[in-house]
Amino acid sequence: MNPRSVAIVDDDEAVRDALSWLFSSKGLPTLSFASGEALLAAFDVERIGCLVLDVRMAPINGLALFEKLLASQPYCPPAIFLTGHADVPLAVSALKMGAVDFLEKPFDDTVLIERVEAALERDVSARAALASRHQLEAQLRQLTEREREVMALILDGKLNKQIAEALDISIKTVEVHRARVLEKMAVKSAVELAGRLSSLRQEP
C-alpha cells in the first residue's frame, strides 16, 4: 500500500472532517488543508500520494491550485476533483490538464474510496517510472562524447567494422567503447539498450 497521505483541500471544515474520517476508516492516512494557499505553503511531495480537491474555493479555486502545482512542482500526485453539478465543465478542464478523476456531489463513499485507492496505486507506478527515468538520464551523463558517438551507431544497427570506419578508429577500440557503453547503461545487449532509450523518448 502507498504509505503517503491523501491530501484533502476544501474550505468547508465539515467536509474536511467527514472526508478525513472516511479515509481514516479505510486505513488511508490524511492531511487536511482549508485552502489552496495552505496546501502550497506546506506542500511536501514525499508525504502526499493523492490530492482530493474541491473545485469551488476562494481565493484559489481547485483548478487554479492544480495549475499552480503542475507549474511549480517537478512531480504532482494524482488529483481527484469534487464538484457540484455546475462545476462539471471545470472538472472536464482539469481532466484535460492531467487530473485522474472527478466526482459530482453528492458522491458515493465507496466509489470515492475506490477512486482514491486507484490514484494511490497510480502514484506508486508514476514515481517508479520517474525514478527509472532519472536513473537512465544519470547513466547517459556518464558517457564520454566518443561513447555517445559509438552508442548512436550501435542503435543504428551498425556492426563494429562499420562503426570503426565511420569514426576512423580501430575495431578493437570500438569493442572497448561498446563494452563501456553497455556497462555504464547497465544493459547486456544492443537490443536491451535500444529498449531502455525508447522508453525515455516516449516520455512527454
Side-chain angles (χ1 to χ4, degrees):
M1 178 180 289
N2 192 333
R4 296 180 177 85
S5 298
V6 181
I8 303 162
V9 188
D10 198 303
D11 55 8
D12 187 324
E13 183 178 4
V15 172
R16 294 198 307 276
D17 289 346
L19 290 175
S20 294
W21 179 88
L22 175 64
F23 296 142
S24 296
S25 72
K26 299 299 181 180
L28 302 175
T30 63
L31 297 168
S32 292
F33 301 91
S35 66
E37 294 91 336
L39 173 68
L40 291 171
F43 188 79
D44 182 350
V45 72
E46 290 306 319
R47 294 185 66 195
I48 298 173
C50 172
L51 299 162
V52 176
L53 309 176
D54 185 40
V55 170
R56 291 207 176 275
M57 297 185 289
I60 302 177
N61 66 33
L63 190 61
L65 172 60
F66 188 46
E67 284 183 309
K68 286 180 178 292
L69 288 172
L70 290 173
S72 64
Q73 302 297 326
Y75 171 75
C76 180
I80 296 172
F81 281 81
L82 304 181
T83 73
H85 177 69
D87 301 323
V88 170
L90 287 177
V92 171
S93 296
L95 291 177
K96 291 179 179 178
M97 290 167 51
V100 297
D101 217 332
F102 75 88
L103 292 178
E104 193 174 339
K105 300 174 183 177
F107 48 80
D108 183 284
D109 288 353
T110 301
V111 172
L112 177 58
I113 289 293
E114 290 174 352
R115 303 288 173 83
V116 166
E117 289 177 339
L120 289 169
E121 291 177 4
R122 179 169 176 160
D123 176 67
V124 171
S125 298
R127 288 177 190 269
L130 189 61
S132 178
R133 179 187 178 90
H134 288 164
Q135 180 187 33
L136 182 55
E137 290 172 341
Q139 290 169 328
L140 286 170
R141 288 194 293 270
Q142 294 178 11
L143 299 178
T144 65
E145 184 177 351
R146 178 62 87 186
E147 287 166 353
R148 285 176 176 272
E149 292 173 340
V150 170
M151 181 177 70
L153 292 170
I154 291 173
L155 294 173
D156 280 342
K158 303 297 185 184
L159 302 175
N160 285 355
K161 180 179 179 180
Q162 294 171 310
I163 296 173
E165 292 173 351
L167 299 178
D168 194 24
I169 56 179
S170 70
I171 293 178
K172 182 64 177 177
T173 301
V174 172
E175 291 172 350
V176 171
H177 285 313
R178 177 189 283 265
R180 287 176 179 169
V181 167
L182 296 181
E183 180 183 3
K184 289 182 179 180
M185 297 304 295
V187 295
K188 296 181 179 181
S189 68
V191 172
E192 189 179 352
L193 175 63
R196 290 203 68 200
L197 292 177
S198 68
S199 68
L200 181 63
R201 289 192 293 270
Q202 289 169 6
E203 291 290 333

